[in-house]
């Protein structure tokens, strides 16, 4: 894995670690991903995901919708990595299924 340049933290409650862009909703995360995909497409992008969007559900749904969207739009390329920090075991399993089905790279 090369150096990760862009780190997107998607979580409604937990604060983002230093160096991460914090997105609280699905739509906010989509905007960030589109921006970085368009402007920095040679960089490595880490998307670190929770599952449950809590109070932000009305702004795009739970965070698994980000993976659904990436799959539908065929956006993910070799510069993407995923990490799941959710404590929801069923949500993590469903998200992991999408990641594995598409042969995307997950950091455990």
């Amino acid at each position: 894995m090369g150096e990760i340049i862009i780190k997107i933290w998607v979580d409604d409650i937990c604060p983002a670690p230093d160096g991460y862009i914090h997105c609280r909703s699905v739509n906010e995360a989509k905007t960030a991903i589109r921006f970085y995909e368009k402007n920095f497409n040679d960089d490595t992008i880490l998307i670190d995901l929770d599952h449950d969007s809590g109070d932000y559900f009305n702004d795009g749904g739970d965070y698994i919708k980000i993976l659904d969207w990436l799959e539908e739009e065929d956006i993910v390329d070799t510069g993407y990595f995923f990490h799941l920090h959710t404590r929801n075991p069923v949500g993590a399993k469903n998200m992991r299924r999408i990641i594995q089905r598409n042969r995307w790279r997950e950091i455990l």
Side-chain angles (χ1 to χ4, degrees), residues 15-32:
D18 287 343
Y20 281 74
I21 297 153
H22 193 173
C23 297
R24 288 176 178 82
S25 74
V26 168
N27 290 333
E28 190 177 347
K30 286 179 180 180
T31 298

Side-chain angles (χ1 to χ4, degrees), residues 54-78:
D55 290 342
Y56 295 88
F57 182 83
N58 289 333
D59 195 17
D62 282 327
Y63 301 130
I64 192 170
K65 296 295 184 184
I66 296 167
L67 297 175
D68 290 339
W69 172 73
L70 289 168
E71 182 177 46
E72 290 166 10
E73 297 293 319
D74 196 27
I75 290 175
V76 176
D77 61 24
T78 59

Side-chain angles (χ1 to χ4, degrees), residues 1-44:
M1 176 173 74
E3 179 184 358
I4 294 175
I5 306 297
I6 298 156
K7 299 175 185 176
I8 299 174
W9 179 264
V10 185
D11 198 302
D12 62 316
I13 296 173
C14 297
D18 287 343
Y20 281 74
I21 297 153
H22 193 173
C23 297
R24 288 176 178 82
S25 74
V26 168
N27 290 333
E28 190 177 347
K30 286 179 180 180
T31 298
I33 292 165
R34 280 188 195 115
F35 175 80
Y36 288 103
E37 180 65 24
K38 179 179 177 183
N39 294 296
F40 302 99
N41 59 6
D42 292 333
D43 291 335
T44 301

